[in-house]
Amino acid sequence: MAGSPLSALDVAFLCLESETSPMHMGAVLTFTPRGPVDPAALTAILADRAARLPKLRQRTRAELFPPGAASWADDPDFVAADHIHHAALTSLYEPDPLSAYASRWIAEPLDISRPLWHLTVATGLPDGKFALLLKLHHALTDGAGAYAVAAGLLEGVELPQRIPAPIPAPRSTLDTMKDALGTVWGQANEAAGIATSLVRAARPPLSPISAPPSAERRLGFVRLPLAELRRVRRAHGGTTNDVVLAVLSGALREWLVNRGQRADGRTLRALIPVSVRGRSGGELGGNKLSGYLCDLPVGEDDPVERLRMVRRAMTRNKAAGPSRGAGALPLLAGRVPPLLHRLGTRTAGRAAPMLFDLVITTVPVPPARLSLDGARLASVYPFVPLAPRHAVGIAVATYRDSVHVGLQVNGEAVPDVGSLRDAVAKSASRLLDAS
């Protein structure tokens, strides 16, 4: 059965795919079981639930018209269990077997000719815990949709029902044509404004954290107490997300210094994706994204002043809205015909360092108590794909009483992700002490 067409932005993510820039998101979820873990039983449960999610049964199919377009179609050879594997880890050879294994796992591209997802159940973790490693191609969905997948695979939350669209009242052909022309004109003006902002925001690609292409990846996991970040927020205002950005700014400063790079007087520009889904936006399909560009004040040594600078920058972004400015480039990509993405998106993607130095994204995770086969979900570490020539990508998820930070780095450019991981914890401690 044929499914919905891919949006132009979905096609763009497909076109960005390469051996050194796989465009899948990832997540590492750890669980605390009540007894011995049965990998075969977990795999069977996950296969049964995955088979019930229609979008996970579909693969992309090229369309003749419009040129370059694609749509979703059911895979006639789909077997959910073929997308799920078990890995038995051991600490005999690796001090942190989950991080080491997940780093190799995240580097493996998905097969674009098949449904664009993969699961691994990893057992053998300390204290009898196990992990679920989830990989989804960005063409399939964004971070909010990725949560919908995870919620569909786990126990403890009901996905929101999609609200049927109201049946419109009859209208004249003339009124319909006027509305259509108004929409096209409005989108054209919006696209022109974003394109102009992109040109103005471009700068020489001299980022201190750019990197040559590499297929090697390394992952880092950082867990921060949510109560401490909220204490900082109460002391200095802003949002918890502002506090997290200030912490990451301090961590990047520390990391640059440790790498022998100059930090004083410097900023790093982050692309911060923003969901533009509606109220019924818990469904899996497609990307509904815009974004902000935020200059992270890594040149400022005072952690409280860094937070004030981040707050001011994010306040300006929110006042302008998610459909204006160079950060709204995902919206612009959604206005470009698919054929142009097929012809030029990969080349344009290599220019990412001219606009931003890294991506920092927040994945929404509601606080419901989630579990798998009765095992309680203990942690959720998301991972964002690395843009071409970027050395670092950061994803953040808040679950229950913790903020989980997932670090993905270019393994050749950053052989020691532990230095960046430790810098995040140190930056959070400094900001808390100053508050």
Side-chain angles (χ1 to χ4, degrees):
M1 181 181 72
S4 58
L6 276 73
S7 71
L9 180 55
D10 300 338
V11 172
F13 282 122
L14 273 183
C15 295
L16 282 169
E17 177 81 15
S18 71
E19 290 184 2
T20 57
S21 294
M23 293 307 296
H24 52 255
M25 301 174 289
V28 174
L29 294 75
T30 66
F31 296 84
T32 304
R34 293 176 292 186
V37 177
D38 184 347
L42 291 174
T43 299
I45 291 171
L46 290 167
D48 177 66
R49 292 177 181 167
R52 298 182 188 185
L53 296 174
K55 207 58 178 285
L56 296 189
R57 305 175 60 91
Q58 297 180 330
R59 63 184 183 185
T60 61
R61 179 181 66 185
E63 298 290 349
L64 294 177
F65 189 83
S71 65
W72 297 105
D74 282 354
D75 182 357
D77 302 319
F78 176 77
V79 177
D82 291 345
H83 293 258
I84 306 172
H85 295 93
H86 168 236
L89 309 184
T90 175
S91 58
L92 184 60
Y93 306 106
E94 295 280 0
D96 187 356
L98 179 58
S99 178
Y101 176 83
S103 296
R104 297 188 295 270
W105 164 85
I106 198 76
E108 297 173 3
L110 291 164
D111 185 346
I112 300 298
S113 67
R114 305 178 65 202
L116 298 175
W117 62 279
H118 184 268
L119 288 173
T120 295
V121 176
T123 55
L125 303 185
D127 302 321
K129 291 184 177 181
F130 68 90
L132 178 64
L133 285 65
L134 170 64
K135 192 185 295 184
L136 294 168
H137 200 282
H138 220 322
L140 183 66
T141 190
D142 52 28
Y147 167 73
V149 174
L153 297 172
L154 305 181
E155 307 143 3
V157 66
E158 290 292 331
L159 290 179
Q161 296 297 317
R162 193 170 183 178
I163 302 172
I167 300 174
R171 309 188 68 208
S172 69
T173 303
L174 180 59
D175 286 341
T176 302
M177 290 181 62
K178 286 180 178 178
D179 286 349
L181 289 172
T183 299
V184 171
W185 178 256
Q187 289 185 348
N189 283 336
E190 179 184 80
I194 297 170
T196 301
S197 297
L198 286 173
V199 173
R200 292 173 177 168
R203 72 258 160 97
L206 300 175
S207 170
I209 59 171
S210 64
S214 170
E216 188 177 351
R217 297 289 184 267
R218 298 187 192 280
L219 300 184
F221 309 87
V222 186
R223 188 169 187 160
L224 303 174
L226 178 58
E228 293 184 356
L229 299 181
R230 285 177 171 170
R231 194 183 313 162
V232 173
R233 184 199 67 194
R234 288 194 297 269
H236 300 291
T239 67
T240 302
N241 190 55
D242 294 340
V243 177
V244 171
L245 288 175
V247 167
L248 295 176
S249 299
L252 290 165
R253 173 185 172 83
E254 173 87 7
W255 181 64
L256 283 174
V257 171
N258 290 341
R259 287 164 58 89
Q261 300 264 12
R262 178 181 61 82
D264 290 339
R266 170 170 272 164
T267 61
L268 292 178
R269 185 181 292 170
L271 172 64
I272 302 175
V274 177
S275 175
V276 292
R277 289 175 181 265
R279 289 179 178 269
S280 58
E283 71 272 11
L284 165 60
N287 287 272
K288 310 289 185 184
L289 289 174
S290 184
Y292 299 135
L293 291 183
C294 181
D295 286 333
L296 304 179
V298 299
E300 174 57 56
D301 184 52
D302 183 346
V304 174
E305 182 58 27
R306 274 200 303 268
L307 174 55
R308 294 192 184 107
M309 296 170 74
V310 166
R311 282 186 57 198
R312 288 195 292 267
M314 290 304 294
T315 297
R316 288 193 297 269
N317 277 326
K318 292 169 187 175
S323 60
R324 298 177 60 187
L329 63 96
L331 285 182
L332 180 62
R335 307 283 188 257
V336 174
L339 180 60
L340 292 184
H341 284 304
R342 300 283 186 186
L343 295 175
T345 290
R346 186 174 294 185
T347 300
R350 298 191 188 104
M354 296 179 65
L355 289 173
F356 54 96
D357 301 302
L358 74 163
V359 175
I360 300 178
T361 189
T362 300
V363 178
V365 182
R369 291 190 179 275
L370 302 176
S371 61
L372 176 59
D373 194 28
R376 179 177 56 84
L377 177 62
S379 62
V380 183
Y381 293 100
F383 298 95
V384 66
L386 289 185
R389 301 189 180 279
H390 279 189
V392 178
I394 303 176
V396 180
T398 299
Y399 179 65
R400 308 294 293 174
D401 59 356
S402 299
V403 173
H404 301 86
V405 181
L407 307 171
Q408 181 172 187
V409 301
N410 177 315
E412 289 190 14
V414 188
D416 180 18
V417 71
S419 175
L420 180 56
R421 180 192 62 217
D422 294 344
V424 175
K426 181 177 178 180
S427 176
S429 178
R430 280 196 66 197
L431 182 55
L432 181 65
D433 290 344
S435 299

